[in-house]
Amino acid sequence: MNWTVPLSDLDYGPEEDQAVLDVLHSKWLTMGAVAQAFEAEFAALHAPQTGAIAPGAYGSALPPGFDLQAVAVSNATQALHLACLALGVGPGDEVIVPSLTFVATANAVLYTGAQVRFADVISPAELTIDPAEIDRLYTPRTKAVIVMHYAGYPCRMAEIVAKAKKYGLAVIEDAAHAPAAWLDGRALGTWGDIGCFSFFSNKNLATGEGGMLLTGRPELAEKLRLLRSHGMTSLTWDRHNGHASSYDVVELGHNDRIDELRAALGRVQLAKLERNNARRGLITSQYWQALATTPLELPFRASVLAQARLNNPRAYRPAYHLFPLLLPLGLERERFVGRLKAAGVQTSLHYPPIHTFSYYRKHMPRISLPRTEVAAAREVTLPLFPTMCREQVEHVVEAVLAAAAETAW
Ligand SMILES: *Cc1c(COP(=O)(O)O)cnc(C)c1O
């Protein structure tokens, strides 16, 4: 379809073209020097910013010697899978996971033979995992909790990390929506044991397919590197460079490597990331302002307004991946979305809760998560991308106001 305003769009230009051509001309296509540079740059961008935050000002002291390492992979689904494996999640274990997320967050747990326990969200205003759910769902079999920074807004990490510590659980962050996002001086994806990022085409940093793992624990970084590449102790790249001539296999690994073409796109996109996240933030505040006096509920707006006073970009900075809104109860979503479609505005739903999918209903005991179910039924996602122009934002706002007026509240 030819949308007047699509849901998302790439910020690609001649820099991306050139980066790919440079790799082609180098004649080295599989994971090598470009991927290594991408990893180093990605880790540096997410490293704790001691200077930016007054010591102790926001509660979370940075661990001494925190050495952040990045491991590039083929996609975020496999990043989540490898994170579970590296943390020893397996048959007989349970992992607490939000249901209001992309299905891959939960699938990654099932691949390991472990069971998923689904958690509810905090409220319509804060569509992230409710930390109190960890108390409700914990059993002696619980091994880990996976949190997801919905739409790029931070989960309540201090509370989550404290509860995980109390119960001895590992914390995995699904940060697919949240590259270069900050909370209390630490990047999202660096609060737990392992953070997982996605570079799928509609994400804030896009390479087509691709993903990244971040960890501050060197032994986990080592294990993730092995799991990513057949459990082999050396890479083709190392042997090409004469650093190794043979290898051993020390883990049951996979092939989840990125390639040099995607890594090259990733480096160019990484350089644009902070500027593009800021653009997304600006468009988000324009939407919020234009829709503030309607009965539409605007998730996370109150959180952001409460934090804006701090005026410190490392204290609270979402990645603004999506623009979710919640229709008033009783407003018919299909008609509302149909009106927007007629105006050329593409929308989406984030997300059909995972526990309601046929596969999960078939393989899990029936559960109910009231806050997740109500929020998901009311949710509509509006277009949001960094290259969106003022006319496009205005067009969406007009279409939303007209659709809402027509569908009557
Ligand atoms: C996109 C996404 C994933 C999966 O990422 P891929 O790179 O496509 O495998 C996982 N979790 C969330 C929340 C996502 O949005």
Side-chain angles (χ1 to χ4, degrees):
M1 222 184 121
N2 212 349
W3 300 100
T4 311
V5 190
L7 190 65
S8 73
D9 199 10
L10 288 175
D11 178 16
Y12 264 37
E15 318 83 76
E16 279 81 2
D17 297 354
Q18 192 56 51
V20 169
L21 284 175
D22 289 347
V23 171
L24 289 177
H25 296 159
S26 79
K27 295 193 175 180
W28 188 271
L29 305 183
T30 49
M31 195 174 74
V34 182
Q36 274 171 13
F38 183 33
E39 290 175 338
E41 289 161 6
F42 196 88
L45 187 72
H46 293 85
Q49 300 282 312
T50 27
I53 299 281
Y58 302 104
S60 66
L62 301 174
F66 193 87
D67 174 26
L68 197 60
Q69 296 192 50
V71 179
V73 289
S74 49
N75 58 64
T77 305
Q78 282 307 115
L80 289 159
H81 181 199
L82 297 190
C84 288
L85 292 176
L87 289 162
V89 172
D93 296 331
E94 293 177 358
V95 178
I96 298 170
V97 176
S99 182
L100 195 68
T101 176
F102 184 56
V103 66
T105 317
N107 284 350
V109 173
L110 299 190
Y111 300 154
T112 69
Q115 295 295 310
V116 168
R117 301 293 306 272
F118 284 116
D120 214 339
V121 295
I122 297 169
S123 72
E126 205 173 345
L127 299 171
T128 46
I129 187 170
D130 183 352
E133 288 285 83
I134 298 173
D135 300 311
R136 182 176 72 86
L137 295 168
Y138 173 79
T139 77
R141 293 170 164 242
T142 312
K143 186 92 176 209
V145 52
I146 307 184
V147 303
M148 196 279 272
H149 302 294
Y150 182 103
Y153 297 90
C155 295
R156 296 195 184 175
M157 290 315 298
E159 271 177 81
I160 289 160
V161 167
K163 284 189 192 292
K165 198 168 173 190
K166 175 176 155 196
Y167 294 118
L169 307 179
V171 176
I172 299 172
E173 293 173 79
D174 182 339
H177 297 184
W182 293 80
L183 175 67
D184 294 349
R186 290 181 73 164
L188 301 188
T190 70
W191 278 79
D193 295 280
I194 302 177
C196 304
F197 296 82
S198 172
F199 307 139
F200 186 68
S201 333
N202 61 13
K203 299 287 164 45
N204 290 28
L205 187 168
T207 66
E209 300 282 359
M212 192 73 82
L213 291 143
L214 281 182
T215 182
R217 291 174 52 188
E219 79 284 8
L220 286 179
E222 174 73 24
K223 184 133 189 186
L224 291 168
R225 283 200 187 91
L226 287 169
L227 289 171
R228 162 180 73 174
S229 196
H230 309 288
M232 285 162 65
T233 51
S234 76
L235 297 170
T236 314
W237 173 246
D238 300 323
R239 295 189 294 280
H240 175 74
N241 285 304
H243 299 316
S245 53
S246 185
Y247 59 85
D248 190 14
V249 170
V250 294
E251 296 275 352
L252 179 61
H254 300 251
N255 178 358
D256 290 330
R257 294 183 303 262
I258 199 166
D259 60 61
E260 295 289 85
L261 299 157
R262 289 182 177 86
L265 290 172
R267 292 185 71 193
V268 178
Q269 287 272 293
L270 189 67
K272 301 178 178 181
L273 182 60
E274 293 193 296
R275 191 196 66 205
N276 279 344
N277 283 1
R279 273 291 300 159
R280 289 171 182 274
L282 196 69
I283 296 162
T284 297
S285 58
Q286 288 168 354
Y287 274 147
W288 278 340
Q289 205 158 12
L291 304 176
T293 56
T294 68
L296 299 168
E297 191 157 351
L298 306 171
F300 302 107
R301 178 167 178 257
S303 318
V304 171
L305 292 182
Q307 301 285 345
R309 279 173 285 123
L310 292 178
N311 210 16
N312 184 332
R314 306 279 182 208
Y316 186 87
R317 188 168 56 178
Y320 302 104
H321 172 54
L322 301 171
F323 186 88
L325 62 77
L326 302 183
L327 301 176
L329 275 170
L331 199 149
E332 217 187 300
R333 180 163 64 179
E334 246 168 78
R335 262 178 67 191
F336 181 86
V337 164
R339 294 277 184 251
L340 290 181
K341 187 175 177 187
V345 175
Q346 188 184 11
T347 59
S348 183
L349 310 177
H350 291 91
Y351 288 89
I354 302 175
H355 71 283
T356 65
F357 287 134
S358 303
Y359 180 84
Y360 278 84
R361 288 162 71 122
K362 206 161 99 190
H363 292 93
M364 280 185 65
R366 191 65 63 89
I367 57 159
S368 119
L369 298 170
R371 281 163 284 163
T372 291
E373 287 160 24
V374 172
R378 296 170 56 199
E379 200 273 339
V380 175
T381 303
L382 297 185
L384 179 61
F385 50 92
T387 56
M388 222 175 152
C389 64
R390 197 162 52 88
E391 289 73 20
Q392 285 178 309
V393 177
E394 284 167 3
H395 181 79
V396 175
V397 167
E398 275 169 34
V400 168
L401 293 176
E406 264 179 67
T407 27
W409 23 57

